[in-house]
Amino acid sequence: MVETTDATRRRTRLTRDAVLRRAVAIADEHGVEALTMRRLAEELGVEAMSLYHHVRGKDGILDGALELVLDEMLDAVSRLEPPDLADPRDWQPAVRARILAARTVMLRHRWTPQVMEARNAMTLSAARHVDGIVALMRAGGFSWDLVHHGLHALGSRVHGFTQELGEPEGGDAEAEAVLAQIAPHIPHLVAMFSEVAHDEPGSTLGWCDDQTEFEFGLDLVLDGLERLARQG
Amino acid sequence: MVETTDATRRRTRLTRDAVLRRAVAIADEHGVEALTMRRLAEELGVEAMSLYHHVRGKDGILDGALELVLDEMLDAVSRLEPPDLADPRDWQPAVRARILAARTVMLRHRWTPQVMEARNAMTLSAARHVDGIVALMRAGGFSWDLVHHGLHALGSRVHGFTQELGEPEGGDAEAEAVLAQIAPHIPHLVAMFSEVAHDEPGSTLGWCDDQTEFEFGLDLVLDGLERLARQG
DNA sequence: TGCTTCTACCTTACAACGTAAGCCTTACGT
DNA sequence: ACGTAAGGCTTACGTTGTAAGGTAGAAGCA
């Protein structure tokens, strides 16, 4: 019993940052519902209650994990080369680039929309990200009022996502049966499906390209704002 | 002990519909996190496990409650007087009216966004609602492709909501302290706040009118779609 | 009629969750 | 050297969803 030192000092000390990083990793890989105190502790080689020395509780972990993602977003956005803004219209591609950069981060952490809705966190990084967009809008000649409305119009798009319609997703057999059941009641949707589908190579259903659709909606909003900014 | 008949037959038989209605009521009044099997059962004067004879489980209750709300939405939309659509541009006010009608329903059940995101349900009523919007877009001269992109651009707005930014909400003292902390890092946002705020009568923070902002964003998207439809 | 089967309730029990309370060891300041 | 605090562990509790099985009465059938 002399080697206690070696046996007890089993790993490096736990830190708030390590806890949150692991939390993000778990949510990324197994979904946010798999993120439990016990599992998180276990993956860190520790008991659940030990986490409470570094974090306010489950809510604190959710907030902290979200904060990490938002930091990552701000970081990705900050790496973009600064726009020159010679023309007032240059605000638009600049904002577009920032939002798409934020989106690439969000795509690595698909649980963020869900969590952001449940707890509405106000983070420094998130605020700074929005602040940068506000600055660009101002440089584009927006009135403060238009900036304000514009932010609301963008909504969650500033963070790289939009509430997706629950369109049929995977080739679930049961879901397809349900669709067949209700198809008679939604003739226009069915027409759209059959019309747009056969342009694509793939299957009947998984034909919505998220990125394309996101950019389409984003540009629609940005174009509308640009028009309003120009006409005063 | 002869009056067993009267004492045992304590209420009308339980039904799936009654269960779901009560579920909606609880979520409306106390938030979706207060909706537990035991509480729901208790309010129905019954034991928790009895609910399983009428409903697939907690998930089934969530889905069912959501379905009830979506039915209500379709109902509200259907009550609108049908548009005449003399001019192709008439699609726009018609779609606008439908979406705002859906929104009034959603405002009575504020938990729906959260639940719709967690479980992405595909409901007949939801599909029919969207189907009606598709029909109007077609009447407005939309190509199928534009209809499709347009639906994605509208996103959750078709159901009367948008992912809200976590802007500072109630006059929470702690939140205000946090804001003061980070204010130096977000000069443009602070400027916007101070600029737009003093037009309003109320406090410094609660100055975003949800309905106004929702309609602004909605019209931005609709105007953009209208322009695209006209130019082919 | 009597027997069976089904339905809609109840009872009990369990595993998993977040977390309150408290103990034990280690490290460090004085 | 000793107090003290940090950071780990153990135990335990209340709440959650739900699996398993019991039971009384209605319904079907002989």
Side-chain angles (χ1 to χ4, degrees), chain A residues 10 13-14 46-47 49-50 53-54:
Chain A
R10 44 180 70 119
R13 281 270 278 338
L14 209 53
V46 122
E47 291 311 304
M49 289 312 291
S50 302
H53 286 269
H54 306 273

Side-chain angles (χ1 to χ4, degrees), chain B residues 13-14 38 46-47 49-50 53-54:
Chain B
R13 281 271 278 341
L14 207 54
R38 286 177 171 82
V46 121
E47 291 311 303
M49 289 311 292
S50 302
H53 285 270
H54 306 272

Side-chain angles (χ1 to χ4, degrees), chain B residues 56-115:
Chain B
R56 225 185 47 255
K58 179 71 181 287
D59 288 357
I61 287 177
L62 253 30
D63 288 342
L66 201 54
E67 195 170 338
L68 241 51
V69 171
L70 292 168
D71 289 355
E72 196 180 336
M73 273 190 192
L74 180 62
D75 191 63
V77 168
S78 304
R79 283 185 204 291
L80 295 175
E81 53 181 320
D84 56 353
L85 298 175
D87 190 292
R89 290 157 191 260
D90 291 343
W91 74 272
Q92 190 171 346
V95 166
R96 195 182 125 101
R98 284 178 179 231
I99 292 183
L100 291 183
R103 179 171 171 84
T104 65
V105 172
M106 180 266 164
L107 290 176
R108 291 200 286 271
H109 312 286
R110 300 223 182 229
W111 46 275
T112 34
Q114 207 175 131
V115 174

Side-chain angles (χ1 to χ4, degrees), chain B residues 149-164:
Chain B
H149 289 319
L151 287 183
H152 276 283
L154 285 170
S156 63
R157 248 180 280 255
V158 296
H159 295 127
F161 66 94
T162 314
Q163 192 97 13
E164 311 287 348

Side-chain angles (χ1 to χ4, degrees), chain B residues 1-10:
Chain B
M1 292 78 173
V2 200
E3 79 285 10
T4 37
T5 47
D6 200 272
T8 33
R9 179 194 330 281
R10 43 178 73 117

Side-chain angles (χ1 to χ4, degrees), chain A residues 15-133:
Chain A
T15 151
R16 176 185 145 90
D17 204 64
V19 171
L20 297 181
R21 279 182 200 289
R22 253 270 159 271
V24 169
I26 292 177
D28 287 350
E29 291 167 35
H30 305 99
V32 70
E33 74 285 348
L35 176 55
T36 77
M37 299 301 275
R38 286 177 170 84
R39 168 157 192 180
L40 177 53
E42 188 190 12
E43 294 205 5
L44 291 163
V46 122
E47 291 311 304
M49 289 312 291
S50 302
L51 302 176
Y52 285 78
H53 286 269
H54 306 273
V55 149
R56 223 185 47 254
K58 179 72 181 285
D59 287 358
I61 287 178
L62 253 30
D63 288 342
L66 202 54
E67 196 171 337
L68 240 51
V69 171
L70 292 169
D71 289 355
E72 195 181 335
M73 272 189 193
L74 180 63
D75 190 63
V77 167
S78 304
R79 282 184 203 292
L80 295 174
E81 51 181 322
D84 56 353
L85 300 175
D87 189 292
R89 292 159 189 258
D90 291 343
W91 74 272
Q92 191 170 347
V95 166
R96 195 184 125 101
R98 283 177 179 233
I99 292 183
L100 291 183
R103 179 171 171 83
T104 65
V105 173
M106 180 267 162
L107 289 176
R108 291 200 286 271
H109 312 286
R110 300 225 181 226
W111 45 275
T112 32
Q114 208 175 129
V115 174
M116 286 188 67
E117 183 142 26
R119 6 204 52 260
N120 70 337
M122 177 59 160
T123 301
L124 173 58
S125 287
R128 294 224 290 166
H129 176 214
V130 175
D131 196 67
I133 290 173

